[in-house]
Amino acid sequence: MRKKILAALFVLFMLFALGALIAALNIANTTRIFNNLIKLHQIEAMRNDLVENVLKVQSDLYTVNTPLGRGLEEIVTTVDGLETSARKCTSCHHKPAIAQKLDKTLVLISGLKEALSYYITASANRERIDKLKADAALIGNELLHHTETMAFDAAKNIDISTNHALVEVKKTKLILIVLLIVTACSGLLIAWNLTRAITRPTHQLVLATRKIASGELGYTIDEEYKAEFGELARNFNLMSVSLHNGYTKLQQEITERRQTEEALRKSEERYALAALGANDGLWDWDLKANIVYYSPRWQSMLGFDEPELGNSPEDWLNLIHSDDRIQLEAKITAHLDGHLTHFENEHRMRHKDGTYRWMRSRGIALRDSSGTPYRMAGSQTDITEHKQTEELLVHDAFHDTLTDLPNRALLMNRLQHVIDVAQRRKDYLFAVLFIDLDRFKFINDSLGHVLGDQLLIAVGKRLQGFVRACDTVARLGGDEFAVLLEDIKDSSDAVAIARRIQVDLPLPFTLCGHDVFTTASVGIALYTEGETRPEHLLRDADLAMYQAKANGKACYEIFDAAMHERLVRSLTLETDLRHAIERNELRLHYQPILSLTSGRINGVEALVRWQHPLHGLIYPVEFIPIAEETGLITTIGQWVLREACRKTSHWHKQFPAATPLTINVNLSSKEFTPLLIENIRQLLREIDIDPASLHLEITESTIMSNPASTAALLLELKEIGVGLQIDDFGTGYSSLSYLHNFPISALKIDQSFIKMVNTDKENLEIVKTIVALAHNLSMDVIAEGVETAEELEILRELGCEYIQGYLISKPLESGHVEDFLEEESCRVDSRSHQV
């Protein structure tokens, strides 16, 4: 549009310039013509003066009678005037023809003047004077004629020039009128176009601005215009859309800001409520002024009223416990230096009453554009109860809840500590004592768990009295205790404590009106160089304790490498035992049982052996306890029972002439369950054997563990038809009052009573009593472990029915048993033939 306006103005300017130029040219031309006309009129006037002067000279010449007539001076003056007028007239003409005529006029005037001068100066010669006068008159007439001719021509030229000037004026007037009309029309057209090009978009813009002003944001106009108005329309539309978007965004921002403000208000309310609910104290530290604001709650949690504390950091720091202040200041400095994102510390602060309370302080610093902190604010929380609870939890985590002694976790921690010390100090020695109370289960079951707990507490206190303050007494669980003896000289220090335990611990404990006695088995493990695992030391002490129990209880043992080797062997055997059955590594040996009445082998006892691929033949005393602990005894027992029945059935068929051989099979307490009844019935159905040939041996402890249920199982077995015997009779804790209630067919006297029965009167009396008891209950007696003929004779005299032992035979493999039975069969046949 700007170019359009400039172009229109340029056109108008050019039209006006053209008109002005034409007008100026015509005016200049007309002016020149009129100037010429004026000059022509001036020349005409001068000609008239010239003519008038010539006529006057002529008149003077013709009226003067004498050469010296009057008025001669006026003639001369007039002639001079003629010359002057002629010269002026000459200076007014430019055309060569007029200039020649004017020059001729000057020549004539000069001639007239010269003639008059001659005439004036002539004297006395009348003729000459007349002649001169006549000459002057002639020259004057010629000049007059010439002047009149020029005047006529000039008049004619004036008319022509005047007409020409009038034509030029009309022409100029017409040109100016045409230019004025063209310029006016062009101006109107330009004005109309400009008005249309400006007014319409301007009107739309005004309308659009009114729409926008009324709130109709986003209103747009047509963008069909060219140049600036098109760009203006586009920019206006963009502006309108931007305003609409901006307004929408602003509305959203306002809405969000209101929501934020509302959320902030609620957050502030929540913060205020949370601060009140959390009972926290607030502090605000102006780092530049080094002034701290402590809220009333901050001061009150330390027992101070608001005016009592100042507003300096030292008023805070001076209340910090001396052991905690360095850490607090270090954390504040680290946060202010930018090494920590926030400040947080737990420390003790002195209460007004002089006590110390645990506080947790949190804070964060505000920084300027250069990163320099200028303000730091935060909160303070009283965590005294939390700390007490935490300490209690930590204490409970590392102490036994019953005795308040250190527990296993704390003992292991202290063990690791002394191991680390021992690795640094070559002369440092310590020991671990593993203590297990003897017969505690019996005490607990008979007197009750409450008294049992009281006993454990009392034992823990008594053990603490045996050791130094630097030593540790811990309860590991149940009736197991441990003692860590630090920095001892040698093993004698540990032995001294163990002996004191043996001597002083059995002293009576008076608990709930009862005098309770207990002893303990103690295992001692000394630190050896190179040991780094605390659990290994505790394990070694535990192994030594088990060895002490195996040695008869109420004693102590010191761990040695052999114990560990036995443990490793036991673990290895346990692993191998799990595969022994499937690998067919179990074997049965059979020990003959001799009838003293008939003098014949009446039966055999099946004894299991383990043919280990590496360790050779392993006896039951080594692997049966492992089998009972791991539960493998049930599987092994079923195999033994089945194999023994199968082999006995085979022998019955192989030696039909001999008296039917009986087979004795030992039962573990873990096998003596209702499932045993069904297993035996199934076994008897599968194997062709007389139930009476199967004798089951059960220990006293198994029978007396639960007499009622045991009696029911024994009756069911009796109904099946199998024989029942009590093994190792006299070694358990049975009550004789129950014995007659059980369907037992025989008692087996333990070999410990048979040994030296011929020399030990006490053993002899025990055997007599057992034999008498069995006979009174209609039971047979089987003596185990008979090794000498003297023992055999005594047992025969006492009325014992059966014996077994090395005197008769060692346990034999099945092949040797068959040889034995073959010989027995031959003796029977021989007696038959003799008869």
Side-chain angles (χ1 to χ4, degrees), residues 64-73 75 118-124 126 129-130 133:
V64 179
N65 296 318
T66 62
L68 297 176
R70 55 180 176 87
L72 186 59
E73 291 79 1
I75 295 172
Y118 288 152
Y119 168 69
I120 293 172
T121 58
S123 65
R126 188 66 185 178
I129 292 172
D130 291 336
K133 184 178 178 181

Side-chain angles (χ1 to χ4, degrees), residues 393-414:
L393 290 173
V394 171
H395 181 272
D396 291 344
F398 291 100
H399 289 79
D400 178 55
T401 56
L402 178 63
T403 63
D404 202 37
L405 293 174
N407 59 12
R408 182 183 294 269
L410 183 54
L411 176 66
M412 300 300 284
N413 181 272
R414 293 183 179 177

Side-chain angles (χ1 to χ4, degrees), residues 433 435 437 462-463 466-467 483 494-507 518-522:
L433 277 65
I435 304 167
L437 302 183
R462 186 169 290 184
L463 289 174
F466 299 160
V467 300
V483 176
V495 171
I497 298 297
R499 287 176 176 172
R500 187 174 181 185
I501 292 173
Q502 303 301 321
V503 174
D504 293 345
L505 188 63
L507 297 177
T518 187
T519 59
S521 300
V522 181

Side-chain angles (χ1 to χ4, degrees), residues 203-440:
H203 174 72
Q204 287 197 1
L205 287 172
V206 171
L207 179 61
T209 54
R210 289 175 181 173
K211 292 281 187 180
I212 293 175
S214 65
E216 193 176 341
L217 299 178
Y219 182 84
T220 59
I221 60 177
D222 295 335
E223 298 181 3
E224 61 184 5
Y225 307 110
K226 298 180 180 179
E228 286 84 353
F229 277 107
E231 185 177 356
L232 180 61
R234 288 189 295 272
N235 291 333
F236 181 86
N237 290 339
L238 291 175
M239 180 193 72
S240 178
V241 172
S242 298
L243 284 174
H244 180 268
N245 294 337
Y247 179 77
T248 303
K249 186 176 181 181
L250 182 61
Q251 287 295 105
Q252 293 176 350
E253 290 179 354
I254 291 173
T255 303
E256 291 175 358
R257 183 172 182 178
R258 287 175 180 172
Q259 293 173 350
T260 303
E261 290 175 351
E262 181 65 18
L264 180 60
R265 183 185 63 80
K266 292 181 179 179
S267 177
E268 290 175 347
E269 291 177 355
R270 284 195 298 268
Y271 175 76
L273 290 174
L276 292 174
N279 217 15
D280 287 349
L282 305 178
W283 52 271
D284 190 351
W285 187 358
D286 186 341
L287 297 173
K288 293 184 177 179
N290 203 27
I291 296 174
V292 185
Y293 164 75
Y294 306 104
S295 71
R297 176 57 192 152
W298 191 97
Q299 300 184 48
S300 66
M301 66 174 55
L302 293 170
F304 294 99
D305 294 329
E306 190 169 355
E308 292 187 70
L309 284 178
N311 57 2
S312 71
E314 290 300 320
D315 294 320
W316 174 19
L317 299 176
N318 288 336
L319 297 175
I320 307 295
H321 194 283
S322 58
D323 294 340
D324 302 337
R325 179 166 176 171
I326 295 177
Q327 177 181 331
L328 173 73
E329 292 178 340
K331 285 191 175 182
I332 292 176
T333 303
H335 175 56
L336 293 178
D337 291 343
H339 302 306
L340 294 176
T341 57
H342 67 282
F343 159 71
E344 182 173 353
N345 191 62
E346 293 181 0
H347 48 269
R348 290 163 290 178
M349 295 188 70
R350 188 176 66 253
H351 195 270
K352 186 178 180 180
D353 60 10
T355 62
Y356 280 91
R357 302 187 67 84
W358 277 98
M359 300 291 174
R360 178 188 290 119
S361 287
R362 294 188 180 95
I364 192 167
L366 298 178
R367 304 175 186 274
D368 57 22
S369 57
S370 63
T372 303
Y374 64 89
R375 182 181 178 186
M376 186 175 177
S379 64
Q380 177 172 279
T381 308
D382 190 335
I383 59 170
T384 304
E385 293 183 2
H386 173 75
K387 276 290 184 180
Q388 292 172 349
T389 303
E390 187 179 79
E391 291 173 359
L392 180 61
L393 290 173
V394 171
H395 181 272
D396 291 344
F398 291 100
H399 289 79
D400 178 55
T401 56
L402 178 63
T403 63
D404 202 37
L405 293 174
N407 59 12
R408 182 183 294 269
L410 183 54
L411 176 66
M412 300 300 284
N413 181 272
R414 293 183 179 177
L415 266 175
Q416 186 63 59
H417 170 71
V418 294
I419 288 174
D420 295 339
V421 174
Q423 289 178 333
R424 294 193 299 270
R425 289 175 48 189
K426 299 301 180 183
D427 60 339
Y428 189 84
L429 181 64
F430 64 91
V432 179
L433 277 65
F434 199 104
I435 304 167
D436 185 85
L437 302 183
D438 299 326
R439 300 180 67 244
F440 175 76

